[in-house]
Amino acid sequence: MYLKVAITEPILLACIDGASLSEIHQSVHKTIPTTERIVRNYLFYLINSFLVSYKGIMKMYFITPRGLDMLEIIYFQREREIANYTDLTIKIE
């Protein structure tokens, strides 16, 4: 599965201190207009890839150490400026 960095990065950043679905959606929407359904789909893949965790009691999402590593990779790729930010994707297995 390939995920757009323009959506994935704001999700991961929002989850650093913990965030609700609505907070995550607002964060993503500032970068690229998208629906809540798309954000939910991205969260599903990020959780299944252990980049984000969900705490059901708190109804909040948190970034994992693996997610922090992914942010570092994203920042490295952005610095290299190989492609336009909106064209960057990451492959999730």
Side-chain angles (χ1 to χ4, degrees):
M1 174 57 115
Y2 289 90
L3 302 177
K4 290 183 178 185
V5 169
I7 297 174
T8 305
E9 181 185 19
I11 291 173
L12 294 174
L13 289 173
C15 293
I16 288 176
D17 292 325
S20 66
L21 179 61
S22 63
E23 292 170 332
I24 294 169
H25 181 246
Q26 288 174 358
S27 178
V28 172
H29 198 72
K30 290 177 186 175
T31 305
I32 185 169
T34 188
T35 65
E36 187 175 301
R37 183 173 152 243
I38 291 172
V39 172
R40 284 179 190 260
N41 286 340
Y42 270 69
L43 282 168
F44 172 79
Y45 290 114
L46 293 173
I47 290 170
N48 284 338
S49 300
F50 305 105
L51 300 172
V52 171
S53 65
Y54 179 67
K55 306 295 182 201
I57 294 171
M58 299 169 63
K59 296 185 179 179
M60 295 191 66
Y61 297 87
F62 294 89
I63 194 168
T64 65
R66 189 172 173 182
L68 290 172
D69 291 341
M70 180 58 68
L71 272 178
E72 187 175 332
I73 292 167
I74 289 169
Y75 288 141
F76 178 74
Q77 293 299 322
R78 286 179 66 185
E79 284 180 12
R80 292 179 56 198
E81 296 179 358
I82 293 173
N84 188 352
Y85 177 70
T86 55
D87 295 333
L88 286 176
T89 60
I90 55 173
K91 184 178 180 182
I92 303 291
E93 296 180 354

